[in-house]
Amino acid sequence: MTKKLANRVSTLSPSTTLAITAKAKEMKEAGIDVIGLGAGEPDYNTPANILEAAYASMQDGKTKYTPSGGLPALKDAVIQKLKHDQDLDYSRAEIMIGIGAKHVLYTLFQVILDPEDEVIIPTPYWVSYPEQVKLAGGKPVFVDSTSSSQFKVTATQIKEAVTEKTKAVIINSPGNPTGMIYSRQELEQIASVCQEKDIWIISDEIYEKLIYGTEQHVSIAQLSQDAKDRTFIINGVSKSHSMTGWRIGYIAGDKEVVSAMTNLASHSTSNPTTTSQYATIEAYNGPQDAVEEMRKDFESRLERIYPQLVAIPGFKVIKPQGAFYLLPEVSEAMEKTGFSSVDEFVAALLTEAKVAVIPGSGFGSPNTIRLSYATSIDLLEEAVSRIHSFVKANWKE
């Protein structure tokens, strides 16, 4: 029997982050002292009030199917959150609850893209954006940013990338893997281009609660009625409430698109896990103290670890404004240590220094590495010390 995979999966790349994390875990299980800085999830347990709400829902027998688009009470909690945080008004018909923000994005692309439709993706990008676009038959169009532009693209760059086939542009702020935030002015300029060119805006705001210093989160949907009408807000509780494994995300946007997404979900995944939905109702409606405590802890770690990372020879590091990632540019370090690619550099860090980081190649940024500071400060400092020693030991003038 001839075995042939469908064409739609033949060009997919495996998740770089998951692959590195799995390799580091395998080494740890073999007794090797590896420090993993690859995982994209908070290192805290879910807050106790959320755990208690989940348990109570199960005890109350709330373990059956729910509507495919999510519990009405959870939609109401999301609506209240959007009103409180962004002063945005949505109806239940404009909200869909999905199995994590990743599933919501996947379903959105399946609904809005036809073959060869283009989606503009700024680089560096989260690894799943281009793969999901391709799975929907679309074409990723990359617009490059650099460290000199603080890893942000301009409205002019987006305008120049638009063609008659462009369907949408993705804005991720705060960003993964960069941690950078688009200002209100930058978003206003991007919204103006999207209005002029009549394209959708996909605003990934999953890290909105993890912002540092004097920076503030601005959703592009806040800027005008037109911007709101053409924007899909993607968010969830994975990062904000340390609920990565609960798998709950949501979309807020055009009700016809949201209806089509709900219909698609009804034939693919049915409903998000019932217990997780009740937990998320508590996450949004209950106390938010734990969210702020976690944010403060991440900021403290960043302040401690950033100067140590900058001190590594050949590392050029922009201080992030949000999320929990650092994205050093390591071109000089690779050159001076004799590595021809970032993938080789990362592999050597893992085998020799016993530190797992993610190669920027997976994010469309081939001369960078991503480090997550979602781990204890002691492990962070030890990991950076190991990286520093590795670079110094291999440095060739």
Side-chain angles (χ1 to χ4, degrees):
M1 173 178 154
T2 302
K3 297 180 181 179
K4 183 178 182 299
L5 296 175
N7 291 334
R8 73 178 65 86
V9 299
S10 62
T11 61
L12 289 182
S13 302
S15 169
T16 308
T17 52
L18 294 181
I20 292 290
T21 301
K23 177 62 176 177
K25 183 179 179 181
E26 179 183 313
M27 292 174 68
K28 283 184 180 180
E29 290 174 348
I32 301 172
D33 179 24
V34 173
I35 301 176
L37 302 183
E41 61 180 345
D43 56 317
Y44 303 86
N45 195 12
T46 304
N49 63 305
I50 299 172
L51 299 177
E52 291 164 5
Y55 181 71
S57 74
M58 292 185 283
Q59 291 294 104
D60 290 343
K62 296 174 180 176
T63 57
K64 309 302 181 184
Y65 292 129
T66 75
S68 294
L71 287 164
L74 179 49
K75 289 189 176 188
D76 289 345
V78 169
I79 290 168
Q80 182 178 337
K81 177 253 179 262
L82 289 165
K83 181 63 176 177
H84 178 271
D85 290 352
Q86 279 83 38
D87 195 26
L88 288 168
D89 293 306
Y90 289 94
S91 66
R92 286 181 180 175
E94 297 171 299
I95 306 292
M96 176 191 139
I97 311 300
I99 307 171
K102 182 181 283 190
H103 169 244
V104 172
L105 278 164
Y106 174 86
T107 307
L108 174 61
F109 289 129
Q110 291 292 322
V111 163
I112 66 171
L113 296 182
D114 284 318
E116 302 304 314
D117 280 347
E118 296 175 353
V119 177
I120 296 173
I121 304 176
T123 67
Y125 49 75
W126 178 53
V127 293
S128 291
Y129 291 148
E131 307 307 319
Q132 291 191 353
V133 168
K134 289 187 288 185
L135 277 170
K139 178 183 177 183
V141 175
F142 301 112
V143 176
D144 292 333
S145 71
T146 63
S147 57
S148 61
S149 66
Q150 290 196 316
F151 293 120
K152 294 185 285 186
V153 300
T154 65
T156 300
Q157 285 179 285
I158 292 172
K159 185 174 182 177
E160 291 173 348
V162 173
T163 73
E164 61 182 14
K165 293 182 179 181
T166 303
K167 202 68 171 284
V169 60
I170 298 174
I171 300 297
N172 180 204
S173 177
N176 175 10
T178 67
M180 303 311 293
I181 298 171
Y182 283 85
S183 69
R184 178 179 290 271
Q185 183 179 13
E186 290 166 335
L187 292 174
E188 286 173 343
Q189 293 168 350
I190 292 170
S192 178
V193 168
C194 293
Q195 181 176 6
E196 177 188 344
K197 297 297 184 179
D198 193 24
I199 59 176
W200 293 114
I201 302 167
I202 300 170
S203 183
D204 184 346
E205 304 179 15
I206 195 72
Y207 292 96
E208 66 154 324
K209 295 296 183 181
L210 297 175
I211 293 179
Y212 313 121
T214 60
E215 300 295 331
Q216 292 185 335
H217 172 70
V218 177
S219 172
I220 197 168
Q222 294 174 255
L223 302 181
S224 68
Q225 186 61 48
D226 181 84
K228 179 175 180 286
D229 290 343
R230 68 179 64 255
T231 295
F232 297 105
I233 294 176
I234 309 293
N235 209 331
V237 288
S238 291
K239 318 298 182 179
S240 59
H241 294 78
S242 195
M243 294 176 66
T244 52
W246 297 80
R247 307 312 303 134
I248 295 291
Y250 70 81
I251 185 169
D254 181 88
K255 65 181 181 180
E256 292 184 13
V257 173
V258 168
S259 176
M261 292 174 63
T262 303
N263 288 339
L264 178 56
S266 73
H267 291 294
S268 56
T269 56
S270 292
N271 59 274
T273 302
T274 303
T275 304
S276 294
Q277 291 188 68
Y278 282 104
T280 304
I281 292 171
E282 173 63 21
Y284 281 137
N285 291 346
Q288 302 300 305
D289 300 10
V291 176
E292 177 60 11
E293 288 172 12
M294 185 167 62
R295 187 202 67 79
K296 287 181 178 179
D297 195 16
F298 281 133
E299 184 170 24
S300 175
R301 295 178 194 180
L302 173 61
E303 293 301 323
R304 285 273 296 276
I305 210 70
Y306 175 73
Q308 298 174 41
L309 201 61
V310 170
I312 298 176
F315 273 46
K316 181 180 178 181
V317 195
I318 295 178
K319 191 174 184 180
Q321 300 162 312
F324 41 67
Y325 306 111
L326 288 145
L327 193 74
E329 191 172 1
V330 294
S331 303
E332 184 184 3
M334 288 192 300
E335 178 185 351
K336 293 293 187 178
T337 53
F339 294 98
S340 60
S341 73
V342 73
D343 294 77
E344 289 182 4
F345 185 75
V346 166
L349 275 177
L350 184 56
T351 56
E352 297 180 33
K354 307 298 186 294
V355 178
V357 301
I358 308 297
S361 52
F363 305 101
S365 183
N367 294 318
T368 63
I369 60 174
R370 192 193 78 174
L371 300 86
S372 167
Y373 49 95
T375 192
S376 73
I377 189 63
D378 289 343
L379 285 177
L380 282 169
E381 292 187 327
E382 172 61 21
V384 173
S385 175
R386 291 184 187 185
I387 295 171
H388 198 151
S389 298
F390 169 83
V391 171
K392 287 182 67 177
N394 289 279
W395 193 271
K396 303 176 181 68
E397 291 295 346

